[in-house]
Amino acid sequence: MTPDADVLEWAVSVREPWLTSLMTGITHTGGVGATIVLALIAAVLLMRAGRTGDATLVGGAVLTGWPVMSLLKNLFGRTRPPEPERLIVIQTESFPSGHAMMTAILATVLAVVVVRTWPRGDRRRIAAFTVLATYSLVVGLSRIYLAAHWTTDVVAGWICGVAWALLWVWFLTRVRPAR
């Protein structure tokens, strides 16, 4: 067996009705629609606070992350884990996990906003980092538990999401418009 198959077998073996309900709820918080809504709320709040650059970072990274993720899925064309293990009906390709990628983008850009907001050592900063990392982690794990993705799909989603977010950070902090 492969590591992906081993993890899938383990996830199926620990399923319980209450845990399946919990994981289904968690997975819905990390979909494209949910992450876009969260990003737009954050961007609006940042705009209202006069933080246009941070609003552009959050909104831009998340809104452009979706087509990048879709392109990667089409490029790789990997099939999802088999039914009946898969508890969610999905028609798109599996690699990378869109939920993992989108939550990683959102968590990373919001972490950058946190760094710009609270000084090192501030407990709010640590709490925000913990919440953001946990959010992306549990959404990704929910995808594995529900057999919507292989483990490597989720890990690749996290990597691609962080990379896309950091590309936006680099672009907005290093590239200056010509005057």
Side-chain angles (χ1 to χ4, degrees), residues 9-94:
E9 184 179 309
W10 174 82
V12 169
S13 75
V14 299
R15 285 184 179 159
E16 296 289 337
W18 69 269
L19 188 54
T20 300
S21 295
L22 177 65
M23 290 298 191
T24 301
I26 289 169
T27 210
H28 291 307
T29 71
V32 172
T35 53
I36 287 174
V37 167
L38 292 171
L40 291 176
I41 290 169
V44 166
L45 293 173
L46 288 164
M47 289 290 287
R48 290 184 67 190
R51 297 177 66 176
T52 307
D54 286 340
T56 301
L57 172 63
V58 173
V62 172
L63 290 174
T64 60
W66 174 69
V68 169
M69 176 266 300
S70 297
L71 178 69
L72 290 171
K73 284 181 175 291
N74 289 329
L75 182 67
F76 288 101
R78 185 177 192 191
T79 58
R80 292 184 182 271
E83 293 179 11
E85 289 85 356
R86 187 168 10 117
L87 299 180
I88 295 179
V89 177
I90 310 169
Q91 304 304 320
T92 60
E93 289 76 16
S94 189

Side-chain angles (χ1 to χ4, degrees), residues 90-116:
I90 310 169
Q91 304 304 320
T92 60
E93 289 76 16
S94 189
F95 186 92
S97 165
H99 282 65
M101 184 170 168
M102 296 301 291
T103 60
I105 292 169
L106 181 61
T108 302
V109 294
L110 289 177
V112 169
V113 171
V114 165
V115 166
R116 294 175 180 172

Side-chain angles (χ1 to χ4, degrees), residues 138-161:
V138 297
V139 168
L141 294 176
S142 76
R143 303 305 284 169
I144 296 167
Y145 176 89
L146 297 168
H149 286 286
W150 301 104
T151 302
T152 49
D153 299 337
V154 171
V155 172
W158 286 327
I159 292 168
C160 290

